[in-house]
Amino acid sequence: MRGYLPDYQLTTATNLTDALIQMEKGAKPFAGGTDIMVLLDAGSLTPGSFVSLLDIKELRGIKIQKNIFTLGALTTYSEVRDHKLLQKHFPVLCQSAQEVGAIAIQNRGTIGGNIANGSPAADFPPGLLIYEALIHLVSRRGLRTVDYTKFHSGYKKNLLENDELIHSVSLINDFKDYHHFWRKVGSRKAQAISKTMIAGIAKLNKKRVEDLRVAFGSVAATAVRCYHVENFLKGKNLSPNVILEAKKILGKDIQPIDDIRSTGKYRLAVSQNVLEEFLCGIGSDK
Ligand SMILES: Cc1cc2nc3c(=O)[nH]c(=O)nc-3n(C[C@H](O)[C@H](O)[C@H](O)COP(=O)(O)OP(=O)(O)OC[C@H]3O[C@@H](n4cnc5c(N)ncnc54)[C@H](O)[C@@H]3O)c2cc1C
C-alpha cells in the first residue's frame, strides 16, 4: 500500500549550504525522485523529511577543464546521452544512459541518485568503474574525493555519511585509441531491469593487450570490476584459446544469484558470451 503522505515532509533547498544544514537535521536528499517515488508507492519509504536538491545550481551541469570532465550530481541521463564530447571520449556512459528506463526517466533521473541508490542493476556504475571515476562528496565538514572503485562497500552500502551528499563525479579523458564496449541484457530493449550488463575498454599494443578493464552489473551485490579476467588478459594476444580461458576465469569475478529476473546459471552463461563479444571486437575499430 502507498505510503501515508502526511508522514513525509519535502522542502526545497535554494543552495548547497541550505541543503547540508537540513541534512544535518536528518533530512534525506531528493533529486529526480525516480527511485524514491517507487518506494513511496510501494509503501516501503521510511517516513521522514526530504530536501529537494533540484534548485541547487552548483550540482548541475557537465564541465570540462583541460582533460577532466566533471558531471554534477544532478546531471540527468538525457544530458549524458546527448553530450557530444562525452559520446566521443566516454561512449560507454552515453550508451548506458540511452538504454535507461524510457525517455521520461532519462529526463528526470540523475547520476547522483543512481549512484547513491546503489542498486546492483544500476546502469551507470559499470561504466564509472572502468573509466575509474572519482566521486566528490560534500558535507558541512568540507569536500572529500573517493575513488569510485572503492565507493560501494556491499549491497546498498557505500561510503556516504548521513550528512553527506554526492557533489559530482569526475572522469579523466585518457582513453585515446581504446576500444569501448557496452551491452545490457534484459527481457526487453527498454524499461527492463538488466539480467547482466558489461562495460569494457581495451587498448592493444602490437596485437597484445596493453590495458583492459571490464566491469559487470546485476551479477553481484554491487557492480564489479573483473580483476581476475583483467590480470589474466594483460600482455596476451587475444587468440580463441585465450578468450575461452578468460570466459572460464570470469566465474572467479562474478557469482550471479537466482532471483525473480533470472537464474544465476543463465546470468553467468550470458555474461561469458558478452565478455567474448567484447574481446572479439577489440582491434576491429576503424
Ligand atoms: C520506470 C523506471 C525505470 C527505471 N529504469 C532504470 C534503468 O534502466 N537503469 C537504472 O540504472 N535505473 C533505472 N531506474 C532507477 C532510477 O531512475 C535511477 O536510479 C535514477 O538515476 C535515480 O536518480 P534520481 O535522481 O531519480 O534519485 P532519487 O530517487 O531522487 O534518489 C535515489 C536515492 O539517492 C539519494 N540521492 C539522490 N541524490 C543524491 C545525492 N546527490 N547525494 C546523495 N544521495 C542522493 C536519495 O536520498 C535516494 O536514497 C528506473 C526507475 C523507474 C521508476
Side-chain angles (χ1 to χ4, degrees):
M1 209 170 75
R2 190 169 209 223
Y4 181 57
L5 287 181
D7 286 345
Y8 304 91
Q9 298 81 45
L10 176 65
T11 51
T12 301
T14 47
N15 58 54
L16 190 54
T17 308
D18 184 16
L20 295 174
I21 289 173
Q22 295 197 47
M23 285 181 63
E24 273 184 338
K25 293 180 190 156
K28 302 262 179 281
F30 186 107
T34 60
D35 279 317
I36 291 177
M37 294 308 284
V38 171
L39 293 178
L40 176 74
D41 224 37
S44 45
L45 184 65
T46 308
S49 48
F50 290 83
V51 54
S52 170
L53 310 179
L54 288 182
D55 283 358
I56 305 177
K57 288 197 186 68
E58 197 178 331
L59 300 181
R60 287 210 167 275
I62 299 170
K63 299 179 185 82
I64 304 168
Q65 267 186 322
K66 294 192 177 157
N67 65 337
I68 300 178
F69 286 56
T70 301
L71 283 61
L74 292 176
T75 304
T76 62
Y77 296 99
S78 304
E79 288 168 323
V80 172
R81 184 196 66 204
D82 296 341
H83 196 280
K84 292 285 176 268
L85 286 174
L86 280 178
Q87 286 166 10
K88 181 169 174 202
H89 300 295
F90 302 98
V92 165
L93 289 184
C94 301
Q95 287 164 27
S96 58
Q98 186 169 354
E99 290 184 37
V100 162
I103 300 296
I105 297 294
Q106 292 176 14
N107 287 341
R108 182 87 192 171
T110 65
I111 189 166
N114 195 237
I115 294 171
N117 189 52
S119 162
D123 282 339
F124 271 138
L128 296 174
L129 285 177
I130 57 161
Y131 291 132
E132 294 187 349
L134 294 173
I135 177 161
H136 308 290
L137 312 177
V138 65
S139 69
R140 296 260 285 157
R141 284 165 278 117
L143 199 64
R144 66 178 176 128
T145 297
V146 177
D147 281 351
Y148 186 66
T149 52
K150 301 195 173 75
F151 180 72
H152 298 284
S153 49
Y155 178 71
K156 297 244 171 192
K157 289 194 187 134
N158 60 47
L159 300 185
L160 270 177
E161 302 287 345
N162 282 341
D163 62 349
E164 224 170 15
L165 274 178
I166 296 173
H167 177 278
S168 51
V169 172
S170 59
L171 302 153
I172 300 170
N173 176 12
D174 202 13
F175 303 106
K176 192 169 177 288
D177 300 328
Y178 275 70
H179 176 71
H180 303 246
F181 184 80
W182 163 258
R183 173 81 69 240
K184 173 174 173 176
V185 181
S187 306
R188 296 177 299 273
K189 270 297 207 186
Q191 291 284 33
I193 302 176
S194 60
K195 296 171 194 278
T196 182
M197 66 182 114
I198 178 177
I201 49 171
K203 184 179 179 183
L204 297 182
N205 184 359
K206 297 190 184 129
K207 300 205 171 167
R208 290 186 184 275
V209 173
E210 182 179 307
D211 187 20
L212 182 143
R213 303 178 201 174
V214 62
F216 276 85
S218 279
V219 290
T222 64
V224 276
R225 264 289 284 273
C226 299
Y227 292 112
H228 287 99
V229 169
E230 292 181 11
N231 291 336
F232 168 72
L233 289 171
K234 272 185 198 144
K236 294 211 167 58
N237 194 318
L238 292 169
S239 66
N241 280 343
V242 165
I243 292 177
L244 193 64
E245 193 57 27
K247 286 172 70 177
K248 288 186 197 148
I249 290 172
L250 182 62
K252 291 188 187 171
D253 286 309
I254 64 171
Q255 292 85 38
I257 56 163
D258 296 350
D259 68 13
I260 49 164
R261 288 195 300 281
S262 193
T263 63
K265 199 172 161 194
Y266 175 85
R267 283 192 160 111
L268 179 60
V270 175
S271 300
Q272 288 170 322
N273 291 346
V274 288
L275 175 66
E276 180 175 6
E277 196 184 339
F278 164 49
L279 298 178
C280 288
I282 298 169
S284 66
D285 300 301
K286 282 181 262 166

